[in-house]
Amino acid sequence: MALFIVRRVLQAIVVLLLVTMFTFALLRAIPGNPAIAIMGPGAYRNPAAIKVFDQTYGFDKPWYSQYLLWLSNLVRGNLGYSWNLNQSVISLIGQRLPKSLVLVGISTALALVIAIPLGVVQAVRRNKFVDHFFNGFSTIFYAMPSFLLGLLLILVFAIKIPIFPAEAPQGEGLAPVFQNFNALVLPIISLALITIALFSRYMRSSVMDNLTEDYVRTAKAKGASERRVLIRHVLRNSMIPIATLLGLSLPFIISGALITEQVFNYPGMGLLFYQQAQKSDYPVLLGITVLVALATVVGSLLADIAYAVLDPRVRY
């Protein structure tokens, strides 16, 4: 296992380098001038100011020189400085990341608590009314765009029936989030419903596959009750696809739900990325991309380790 982890860490370094290289190149390929985006259209009439901007941020150098300069700063833990917000990227991430962790973390935990038993019930009661009912539920929410679900929740529960605020908690730090937690209910429900639809479908399929395995028939032949077989044997083996989904969900948790945060104006990582993408704030975009790429690699590694924990036959 130790050798496997070392090998995966070395692979992760290569992956991160490739991600940063491609992202850097794609951002530089976007049409337009960052100086104009930052200083406004009036900068066209002031070529000297554009020249000073390009010299200050290295845009007068070849792209590879710009990348190596940015990479050397990254190795030292410096993700750059936001051109629009007049703040370091590290401090911006430090302010926004906890908010996204609260929102997406709570919605993912809620989804797990509901989706796992729901998928088991559907598999046990397959082709019955309960199975068909929740299959319809999961199909609707799995296919529904997240922005549409968010807008529908606002329309029903904030406008027609004003139970919750239409806007998520505002303010700096986590204190306003917990002080006005009522305003976070709709964003959590919006994310949780889609995640429940995804997890429950995978859980249902996995349990159904395991119920047909030989070890289930053997356990029943030895006198084990159906409930014991389901909880002690089938449930554990059925959790492997969920471990994969959770590992792949880690970058989603770290980066925040971009569309949902935009719909509810929640000041997390997703909204930060959206706003700065509109303003061509390259340091912020690159910083968040590196963080999400790192979370993707770590999530994949944790999923692989979870396989060995859930299934003793898996060895690395």
Side-chain angles (χ1 to χ4, degrees):
M1 178 67 80
L3 182 61
F4 168 75
I5 294 176
V6 171
R7 188 168 65 248
R8 289 298 298 270
V9 169
L10 294 176
Q11 292 174 355
I13 294 173
V14 176
V15 170
L16 288 174
L17 281 174
L18 291 174
V19 168
T20 58
M21 190 180 301
F22 281 117
T23 305
F24 195 91
L26 289 173
L27 287 175
R28 291 301 187 272
I30 295 175
N33 190 326
I36 304 300
I38 301 301
M39 296 185 290
Y44 275 117
R45 298 188 294 270
N46 193 351
I50 295 177
K51 184 177 181 180
V52 170
F53 180 91
D54 289 343
Q55 290 175 345
T56 302
Y57 293 103
F59 284 98
D60 58 333
K61 298 181 175 64
W63 71 269
Y64 52 85
S65 298
Q66 297 176 39
Y67 174 72
L68 291 175
L69 177 62
W70 178 83
L71 191 61
S72 65
N73 290 329
L74 175 65
V75 172
R76 294 195 296 269
N78 179 13
L79 291 176
Y81 207 79
S82 172
W83 303 333
N84 289 293
L85 300 176
N86 197 29
Q87 195 173 345
S88 69
V89 176
I90 286 288
S91 63
L92 283 171
I93 291 176
Q95 292 172 2
R96 301 295 187 96
L97 180 58
K99 292 178 177 289
S100 290
L101 290 176
V102 170
L103 171 62
V104 188
I106 292 176
S107 65
T108 304
L110 179 63
L112 282 173
V113 170
I114 297 174
I116 291 175
L118 182 60
V120 173
V121 170
Q122 283 186 260
V124 173
R125 306 288 296 174
R126 59 187 177 278
N127 297 326
K128 302 291 177 53
F129 172 78
V130 172
D131 185 29
H132 292 313
F133 175 80
F134 286 112
N135 258 336
F137 161 86
S138 61
T139 300
I140 290 172
F141 287 105
Y142 185 67
M144 185 177 293
S146 55
F147 74 88
L148 177 59
L149 179 57
L151 292 174
L152 288 175
L153 290 174
I154 291 173
L155 178 64
V156 176
F157 296 106
I159 298 176
K160 297 293 184 182
I161 309 173
I163 302 175
F164 303 107
E167 187 178 55
Q170 304 297 306
E172 298 293 333
L174 287 178
V177 174
F178 293 104
Q179 291 170 358
N180 191 22
F181 194 80
N182 190 47
L184 198 63
V185 172
L186 289 185
I188 288 175
I189 293 176
S190 178
L191 289 173
L193 285 174
I194 296 175
T195 309
I196 290 170
L198 174 64
F199 283 11
S200 64
R201 292 176 72 88
Y202 275 89
M203 192 67 190
R204 175 184 180 273
S205 299
S206 183
V207 172
M208 288 178 62
D209 289 341
N210 278 277
L211 285 174
T212 61
E213 294 291 334
D214 292 337
Y215 74 86
V216 173
R217 288 191 290 270
T218 303
K220 288 181 179 179
K222 290 182 177 180
S225 65
E226 185 172 345
R227 182 177 180 181
R228 179 181 176 84
V229 171
L230 190 65
I231 295 176
R232 292 291 299 273
H233 303 285
V234 174
L235 183 60
R236 178 171 178 173
N237 290 330
S238 301
M239 289 293 292
I240 293 178
I242 301 299
T244 303
L245 290 175
L246 280 177
L248 297 176
S249 297
L250 184 59
F252 180 68
I253 294 173
I254 297 295
S255 62
L258 189 150
I259 296 176
T260 302
E261 289 186 3
Q262 171 64 16
V263 170
F264 291 96
N265 194 34
Y266 184 69
M269 293 281 285
L271 185 60
L272 174 65
F273 190 90
Y274 174 82
Q275 291 173 337
Q276 301 316 305
Q278 291 181 312
K279 300 174 182 177
S280 300
D281 198 340
Y282 293 166
V284 175
L285 301 182
L286 281 168
I288 295 177
T289 300
V290 169
L291 183 63
V292 174
L294 180 61
T296 303
V297 172
V298 172
S300 178
L301 176 61
L302 292 177
D304 288 340
I305 295 174
Y307 293 161
V309 174
L310 292 170
D311 189 348
R313 294 171 299 178
V314 176
R315 288 292 177 266
Y316 297 107

